[in-house]
Amino acid sequence: MPAVDSAAQPAADEAASPDWASRCCGGDRPTTRRLLVSLALGQLLSLFICGTAVTSGYLQRFGVNAPTSQCFLNYLLLGLTFGSVAFYRLGRAASLRAAARRLWWRYLLAALMDVEANFLVVKAYAYTSVTSVQLLDCASIPVALISSWFLLGARFKACHYVGVAACVLGAGGMALADVLAAQHAGDSAPPAPLLGDALVLAGGALYGLSNVWQEHLVRRYERLLYIGCVGILGALVGGVQLLLLERRELGHLLAGRLAPGASPAAAIGAAVGFALCMYALYSLMPVAMTTGSAVLVNLSLLTADLYALFVGVYLFGYSFHPLYFVSYAAILLGLAAYAVRQPKMAQDPPARRHFLRAAPAISGAGVGGIGVRGMRRFGSIDEGIECARTF
């Protein structure tokens, strides 16, 4: 038997006994680079959300109220770019084709949730105030937490709940600042606030569920295949919904029947700007999901309201209140508290975990030249396991 170092034994016992910090925030601690990348990606996505809010404000002023038509061009661009690359890869890899045939309903469900969430939230701007949209859109955060618990097997610690609470309080402070600024400016009341609030609540819940479902798909399966399939299926679903619900609005836009003083060229430019911001948002969202999590992304998007306010002060004459800075600081502190630890995930199936544990023994050339990194060629790790069994 080897000799045991008595001096090292107390240190080992101390390391084995968890302290209060480990019990409170005992997840995997991300590296500094990963933490900064996650926060930077979240703020970049917030800037794209700000771009969509500004262009939507212009479209509302031009008399355009067609949310499905606004989002249709984004799905069409995603389908033409990422969908083309995904189909090219499907034609070269039989395993990807098998994965796409088996997973098509999951991508269709993701496209349906995404299209309807965009429709509900954009439609709500015509019935309720921007303050209500900002406050009630936070419904995506508790839905994302609950969905991550059940769909991804995520287990959260106290620091995560503290971060979520701080972000929600910051969002509530922004809504209160909007109320105070609107009272000072004497803004008119919205036409149908109850209907608009119901639309925002439904859209926010769909956003939270859709983001968690997206995280599940991009973590387990091919990321490029997800974006391409959602683009193609979203364009199909949005096209059918557009023809059923928004034919008259689209005809008015194409015929130039807009609000008095509105230019058709400016309206088309705002619609194209909205689509480009959405395209950039959807292109980076899966990267942010794999770097952080769906909950962290939803928390990061709360800062988009402040960016939209800064732009709206100069473009639309919005009123400003100092409470915005306090709310923004609370959201940033909540993001830091949440991102300091990663939630524990338990979504991987037992076969995949067993394969990953056994991977160092068969890495290098791998079984049949596959290896661990070669698993990325397949639609999922499960596809690589089947191919390895074949070899």
Side-chain angles (χ1 to χ4, degrees):
M1 295 291 292
V4 179
D5 190 0
S6 59
Q9 188 66 28
D13 295 339
E14 183 179 357
S17 60
D19 55 357
W20 68 270
S22 300
R23 293 191 298 268
C24 175
C25 304
D28 295 332
R29 177 177 294 176
T31 61
T32 304
R33 180 180 178 182
R34 187 183 182 90
L35 176 62
L36 294 178
V37 169
S38 300
L39 296 177
L41 280 176
Q43 296 310 301
L44 185 59
L45 294 178
S46 292
L47 290 176
F48 290 137
I49 291 287
C50 171
T52 61
V54 172
T55 51
S56 294
Y58 273 113
L59 289 173
Q60 290 290 332
R61 289 197 169 192
F62 294 153
V64 179
N65 186 17
T68 306
S69 302
Q70 288 180 223
C71 302
F72 175 75
L73 184 57
N74 164 53
Y75 294 116
L76 187 61
L77 290 175
L78 290 174
L80 291 176
T81 54
F82 290 97
S84 301
V85 178
F87 272 110
Y88 173 74
R89 296 186 63 183
L90 286 175
R92 299 189 60 183
S95 58
L96 279 179
R97 289 197 299 271
R101 286 193 297 267
R102 191 178 71 250
L103 303 172
W104 68 269
W105 65 272
R106 303 189 185 189
Y107 295 117
L108 179 60
L109 180 60
L112 281 172
M113 289 191 294
D114 194 77
V115 170
E116 299 309 322
N118 288 326
F119 172 78
L120 292 173
V121 173
V122 177
K123 191 71 173 179
Y125 281 98
Y127 299 104
T128 188
S129 63
V130 178
T131 303
S132 298
V133 174
Q134 291 175 354
L135 182 61
L136 298 177
D137 195 24
C138 297
S140 63
I141 297 175
V143 173
L145 280 172
I146 297 173
S147 302
S148 298
W149 181 281
F150 288 103
L151 293 179
L152 305 180
R155 296 298 179 262
F156 302 99
K157 296 295 182 178
C159 60
H160 299 131
Y161 296 112
V162 170
V164 169
C167 289
V168 172
L169 287 176
M174 283 192 177
L176 179 60
D178 279 338
V179 172
L180 296 176
Q183 290 178 353
H184 184 268
D187 293 346
S188 58
L194 292 180
L195 177 59
D197 293 347
L199 291 176
V200 175
L201 285 174
L206 273 179
Y207 270 136
L209 186 60
S210 174
N211 289 338
V212 174
W213 188 248
Q214 177 182 354
E215 182 183 358
H216 163 70
L217 291 178
V218 299
R219 282 182 180 273
R220 185 171 181 180
Y221 303 106
E222 185 78 12
R223 182 191 306 169
L224 183 63
L225 185 62
Y226 169 83
I227 305 177
C229 289
V230 168
I232 295 173
L233 296 174
L236 293 176
V237 174
V240 173
Q241 185 168 316
L242 187 153
L243 294 176
L244 292 177
L245 301 178
E246 299 179 2
R247 288 178 297 178
R248 185 178 61 179
E249 289 80 0
L250 184 61
H252 290 173
L253 176 61
L254 297 178
R257 302 174 189 172
L258 304 173
S263 171
I268 294 176
V272 172
F274 178 87
L276 292 179
C277 290
M278 290 285 286
Y279 178 81
L281 175 69
Y282 277 66
S283 301
L284 286 180
M285 184 72 78
V287 182
M289 292 292 182
T290 54
T291 306
S293 64
V295 180
L296 182 60
V297 169
N298 280 275
L299 295 176
S300 300
L301 295 183
L302 295 177
T303 58
D305 299 332
L306 185 65
Y307 302 146
L309 171 71
F310 288 154
V311 178
V313 166
Y314 294 99
L315 295 180
F316 304 121
Y318 289 165
S319 300
F320 182 79
H321 196 276
L323 185 58
Y324 283 113
F325 287 116
V326 180
S327 304
Y328 183 70
I331 292 175
L332 291 183
L333 290 176
L335 286 175
Y338 184 92
V340 73
R341 292 283 185 177
Q342 293 180 353
K344 293 182 178 181
M345 298 291 182
Q347 70 157 353
D348 297 338
R352 184 187 185 197
R353 291 199 298 269
H354 174 73
F355 183 79
L356 291 177
R357 285 196 299 267
I362 61 172
S363 59
V367 180
I370 300 174
V372 179
R373 296 182 180 179
M375 293 301 107
R376 297 178 182 176
R377 304 177 186 175
F378 300 96
S380 66
I381 294 294
D382 299 333
E383 293 290 330
I385 295 173
E386 291 298 327
C387 187
R389 288 173 179 170
T390 303
F391 280 105

